[in-house]
Amino acid sequence: MKVDGKDFRSIWYNSDTGKVQIIDQRWLPHEFRVVDLTTRAAFVTAIADMWVRGAPLIGATAAYGVAVEMARDASDASIVETWDVLHETRPTAINLRWALNDMTALLMPMPEEERAAAAMQRAHEIADEDVECNRMIGVHGLEIIKDIAAKKQPGEVVNILTHCNAGWLATVDWGTATSPMYHAHMAGIPVHIWVDETRPRNQGALLTAWEMNSHDIPHHLIVDNAGGHLMQHGQVDMVIVGTDRTTAHGDVCNKIGTYLKALAAQDNNVPFYVALPSPTIDWTVKDGVAEIPIEERDDSEVTHVQGKLADGTVGEVQISPDGTPGGNPAFDVTPRRLVTGLITERGICDASPEGLAAMFPERVLG
Amino acid sequence: MKVDGKDFRSIWYNSDTGKVQIIDQRWLPHEFRVVDLTTRAAFVTAIADMWVRGAPLIGATAAYGVAVEMARDASDASIVETWDVLHETRPTAINLRWALNDMTALLMPMPEEERAAAAMQRAHEIADEDVECNRMIGVHGLEIIKDIAAKKQPGEVVNILTHCNAGWLATVDWGTATSPMYHAHMAGIPVHIWVDETRPRNQGALLTAWEMNSHDIPHHLIVDNAGGHLMQHGQVDMVIVGTDRTTAHGDVCNKIGTYLKALAAQDNNVPFYVALPSPTIDWTVKDGVAEIPIEERDDSEVTHVQGKLADGTVGEVQISPDGTPGGNPAFDVTPRRLVTGLITERGICDASPEGLAAMFPERVLG
């Protein structure tokens, strides 16, 4: 999407220099830094230290990492070792594992001398497939926004609330929850985004607000506490969030606090949509609240807040008394009864076993 | 309550030195500073610059401010001028106005030479009345906690979630929402408090966590997003919050985000109680969502976060991109249908016109 009027992806191949480039997201929103990744070690660092984040982007980055390594050493041993070192960076990231397996399956049967070119070609495809998947989420989500706009006065703003960053920075382009917003903006529908700051890591404030700012979409940053009040007063027309994992029954595991917004949406008859690429559906899980283990992260994320200091450097403040412990569940589960619909790359379906099965009949288990 | 094992109020008369002392709350939780207020100008600064905050404490501080000024100049003109300069510090604070009117009505009819002593006496009474009111809230609230504990195994912890700081730092002692917690702790009932950090101003992290820490009550600081997840998993036995204003019908206006917690409590059958001294009931208002105007505060509270810097000084970080505007509604209204009960100094009643009228029959309007 746009940064200062120029189109960017979160990872791309620069054909002028022959190098893979990324946005080093650690410095956002305060600095926009583009860096070359020219060695496997650089890819390892970029993924492990979260220069890039977001499941789809991690997968694409790993694919490019394999391609770059193949240009140096395309041996079988190199393929195996590359799988290992890249996989170790974020071992629970499902897209990372998928991308590495895909690359390995492609390359292993191939003569060594063909591997470098084939790997780079496949990395491009993986990136493009992600872009296309997210673009289609936007195409389908746009229809919902159009319907809401059609019930308003001409030119009246459609207010959309979102939580965390399910934006293009978490994917290769478009994002998931943000894709319908970008599509609506580009279609000339006036949208305004309420951006939850999304404590504890503030991905909304740091990333989603930066995306909206960079693409010139009107928005306000709000604290996570504010959404219910805004909905009570008719200031939210719809909610769109992303998801880390959707169960086969339609429950939605997403960043902590999503459930509270879903409750408020239901209480105020505000449509609550979840945008998801189908690979995030976990067909092995049914009841999300009962079955999905929730990661408990370090409590320093709760007791400390990062940002830009008065001197312009990035630092942090401690908000709590010395000695107060923090509790830090990273995700919560929104039961399907609170979800108006799931926006997938194939279209919009009910958050139900039947809705998902009808949309993805070939993937349903047992 | 206790600070390092010693009993404190938030304002008190030091009979050794003959001076009024307060805790300068601007430095909490990182420093515990006690200061003398010896001139009217000092009281004005302490209230205006929020060295003290919380409606009941502001009222008591103003009363002491009048008393200190009477010792210097007890003329009629001084009474009038003191009303003006103190009232101007926080003109919307209802307890401030009430305390100043009360002092003026007491002092004006009195001979000048009796005013200083009478004013100090009345200031003590106002402080003691607040303490007694909050103590009774705790006595009544304790019964609810006892009932919950009685349904558990002996020694099993009662988990209570609270939002913002309705603690002793906002009153003269005990606090409102915290009073039942202190009473339970002192009665030997094992309680554990989930303290919402309460963005944007972080009063939970800065003040409630400090209170719990100082009084040795087990607690964890959590982000405002986490409460729903904890309730889904049986980790919250009850919620107790304070209120800035309760309507005659039982709707509760409190710090932004309270409504979201009430929704989660209802969705998970967790009792949701509001502790309130009866002066915070606004008998002129019925429907809180429709009738109560919500203050929109400066957006720097959303875009910036204060805390302790690495060098130990207090500073702030900017979490958002330059140019992103913030939306900052400071309060929300929890409809009475979500409130299990109101804990007042007279006892516990339903959050309903009938419940409040039965508890305070002499105050009902029309």
Side-chain angles (χ1 to χ4, degrees):
Chain A
M1 309 312 297
K2 302 269 188 215
V3 180
D4 290 334
K6 191 180 158 197
D7 274 309
F8 278 89
R9 287 184 174 186
S10 60
I11 187 166
W12 67 95
Y13 178 76
N14 184 326
S15 52
D16 293 340
T17 64
K19 288 174 180 163
V20 176
Q21 298 190 293
I22 60 163
I23 299 164
D24 182 351
Q25 300 188 21
R26 292 173 303 161
W27 307 98
L28 294 176
H30 308 300
E31 286 177 48
F32 180 68
R33 293 194 191 178
V34 170
V35 295
D36 297 338
L37 298 182
T38 56
T39 65
R40 189 178 72 190
F43 280 85
V44 166
T45 302
I47 299 173
D49 294 352
M50 299 182 74
W51 302 17
V52 294
R53 18 73 61 195
L57 174 54
I58 288 172
T61 304
Y64 278 113
V66 173
V68 164
E69 180 63 14
M70 287 302 99
R72 193 189 69 82
D73 175 358
S75 67
D76 288 6
S78 171
I79 294 174
V80 171
E81 188 183 278
T82 300
W83 193 99
D84 279 342
V85 297
L86 282 169
H87 184 257
E88 205 171 295
T89 54
R90 300 285 302 274
T92 59
I94 196 144
N95 293 52
L96 173 62
R97 192 186 186 92
W98 173 85
L100 291 170
N101 286 346
D102 182 90
M103 297 296 280
T104 300
L106 171 77
L107 299 173
M108 272 297 184
M110 211 175 256
E112 268 193 39
E113 63 276 15
E114 294 176 16
R115 285 174 176 171
M120 186 57 82
Q121 178 58 32
R122 181 66 189 134
H124 293 334
E125 285 170 14
I126 287 175
D128 288 345
E129 284 165 13
D130 179 63
V131 175
E132 178 60 14
C133 180
N134 297 328
R135 189 184 70 79
M136 286 310 298
I137 287 172
V139 167
H140 298 304
L142 171 62
E143 295 304 312
I144 305 169
I145 300 175
K146 272 187 185 164
D147 287 348
I148 292 170
K151 290 177 191 139
K152 297 195 162 221
Q153 299 298 315
E156 200 182 338
V157 167
V158 177
N159 286 294
I160 304 172
L161 185 143
T162 192
H163 192 69
C164 201
N165 177 253
W168 69 270
L169 290 168
T171 65
V172 179
D173 208 355
W174 292 108
T176 56
T178 54
S179 187
M181 304 173 199
Y182 288 120
H183 277 84
H185 181 71
M186 291 158 77
I189 300 172
V191 291
H192 166 264
I193 315 302
W194 296 110
V195 179
D196 276 2
E197 65 173 333
T198 321
R199 282 279 287 149
R201 288 172 61 89
N202 284 342
Q203 294 96 333
L206 301 175
L207 302 174
T208 306
W210 180 84
E211 285 194 19
M212 296 297 131
N213 225 355
S214 302
H215 205 86
D216 283 330
I217 297 183
H219 65 289
H220 278 83
L221 179 68
I222 52 173
V223 296
D224 302 307
N225 283 324
H229 167 75
L230 296 174
M231 292 183 208
Q232 282 179 317
H233 291 272
Q235 295 178 271
V236 180
D237 294 303
M238 71 184 300
V239 180
I240 315 179
V241 297
T243 168
D244 289 80
R245 200 166 168 189
T246 305
T247 75
H249 281 197
D251 294 340
V252 172
C253 183
N254 191 43
K255 188 65 54 187
I256 190 80
T258 303
Y259 166 53
L260 293 171
K261 295 308 151 59
L263 286 167
Q266 188 194 48
D267 201 46
N268 295 285
N269 294 311
V270 172
F272 184 93
Y273 284 94
V274 180
L276 64 149
S278 59
T280 64
I281 303 167
D282 186 339
W283 296 95
T284 69
V285 173
K286 293 173 181 171
D287 180 335
V289 174
E291 295 179 54
I292 297 179
I294 299 296
E295 176 187 1
E296 181 80 20
R297 293 178 56 87
D298 194 89
D299 73 349
S300 65
E301 292 182 352
V302 174
T303 57
H304 292 67
V305 179
Q306 283 200 339
K308 186 167 74 169
L309 297 167
D311 66 4
T313 63
V314 171
E316 65 177 23
V317 291
Q318 175 185 326
I319 59 167
S320 58
D322 292 338
T324 278
N328 190 11
F331 302 94
D332 62 22
V333 173
T334 299
R336 64 190 172 96
R337 64 185 151 85
L338 302 175
V339 178
T340 308
L342 303 174
I343 310 173
T344 78
E345 70 271 25
R346 291 193 190 167
I348 296 156
C349 69
D350 281 350
S352 67
E354 300 75 23
L356 279 166
M359 192 65 82
F360 301 97
E362 79 284 11
R363 300 198 199 156
V364 180
L365 299 178
Chain B
M1 309 314 297
K2 302 271 187 212
V3 180
D4 289 335
K6 192 180 157 196
D7 274 310
F8 278 88
R9 287 184 174 187
S10 59
I11 188 167
W12 66 96
Y13 178 77
N14 184 326
S15 52
D16 294 340
T17 63
K19 288 174 181 164
V20 177
Q21 299 190 293
I22 60 163
I23 300 165
D24 182 351
Q25 300 188 21
R26 291 173 302 161
W27 308 97
L28 293 176
H30 309 299
E31 286 178 49
F32 181 67
R33 292 194 192 180
V34 170
V35 295
D36 298 338
L37 298 181
T38 57
T39 65
R40 189 178 71 190
F43 281 86
V44 166
T45 302
I47 300 172
D49 295 351
M50 298 182 74
W51 304 16
V52 294
R53 19 72 62 194
L57 175 53
I58 288 171
T61 304
Y64 277 113
V66 173
V68 164
E69 179 62 14
M70 288 301 100
R72 194 189 68 81
D73 175 0
S75 67
D76 287 7
S78 171
I79 294 174
V80 171
E81 189 182 277
T82 300
W83 192 100
D84 279 342
V85 296
L86 283 169
H87 184 258
E88 205 171 296
T89 54
R90 301 284 302 275
T92 60
I94 196 145
N95 293 52
L96 173 62
R97 191 185 186 93
W98 173 85
L100 291 170
N101 285 348
D102 181 272
M103 296 296 280
T104 300
L106 171 78
L107 298 173
M108 270 297 185
M110 213 175 255
E112 267 192 40
E113 62 277 14
E114 294 175 17
R115 286 175 175 170
M120 187 57 81
Q121 178 58 32
R122 181 65 190 135
H124 293 333
E125 286 171 14
I126 287 174
D128 288 345
E129 284 165 12
D130 179 63
V131 175
E132 179 59 14
C133 178
N134 297 328
R135 190 184 70 79
M136 287 309 298
I137 287 172
V139 166
H140 298 305
L142 172 61
E143 295 304 313
I144 305 169
I145 300 174
K146 272 188 184 165
D147 288 347
I148 292 171
K151 290 177 191 141
K152 297 194 161 220
Q153 300 298 316
E156 199 182 339
V157 167
V158 177
N159 287 296
I160 304 172
L161 184 143
T162 192
H163 192 70
C164 201
N165 178 252
W168 69 269
L169 290 168
T171 65
V172 179
D173 208 356
W174 293 108
T176 56
T178 55
S179 188
M181 304 173 199
Y182 288 120
H183 277 84
H185 180 70
M186 292 158 78
I189 300 172
V191 291
H192 166 265
I193 314 302
W194 295 110
V195 179
D196 276 1
E197 66 174 332
T198 321
R199 283 278 288 148
R201 288 173 61 89
N202 284 342
Q203 294 96 334
L206 301 174
L207 303 174
T208 306
W210 181 84
E211 286 194 20
M212 296 297 131
N213 225 356
S214 302
H215 205 86
D216 282 330
I217 297 183
H219 65 290
H220 278 83
L221 179 67
I222 52 174
V223 296
D224 302 306
N225 283 324
H229 167 75
L230 296 173
M231 292 184 207
Q232 281 179 318
H233 291 272
Q235 294 178 271
V236 181
D237 293 304
M238 71 184 300
V239 179
I240 315 179
V241 298
T243 168
D244 290 80
R245 199 167 168 189
T246 305
T247 75
H249 281 196
D251 294 338
V252 172
C253 183
N254 191 43
K255 187 66 54 187
I256 190 81
T258 303
Y259 165 55
L260 294 172
K261 295 309 152 58
L263 285 168
Q266 187 194 48
D267 201 45
N268 294 284
N269 293 310
V270 172
F272 184 93
Y273 285 94
V274 180
L276 66 149
S278 59
T280 63
I281 303 167
D282 186 339
W283 296 95
T284 68
V285 173
K286 292 173 182 172
D287 180 335
V289 174
E291 296 179 54
I292 297 178
I294 299 296
E295 176 187 1
E296 182 81 19
R297 294 179 56 88
D298 194 89
D299 73 350
S300 65
E301 292 181 353
V302 174
T303 56
H304 291 68
V305 179
Q306 283 199 339
K308 186 167 73 169
L309 298 167
D311 65 5
T313 62
V314 171
E316 65 178 22
V317 290
Q318 175 185 327
I319 59 167
S320 58
D322 293 338
T324 279
N328 190 10
F331 303 94
D332 63 23
V333 173
T334 299
R336 62 191 174 95
R337 65 186 151 84
L338 303 175
V339 178
T340 307
L342 303 173
I343 310 172
T344 78
E345 70 271 26
R346 290 193 190 167
I348 296 155
C349 70
D350 281 349
S352 67
E354 301 75 22
L356 280 165
M359 192 64 81
F360 301 98
E362 78 283 13
R363 299 197 201 159
V364 180
L365 299 178

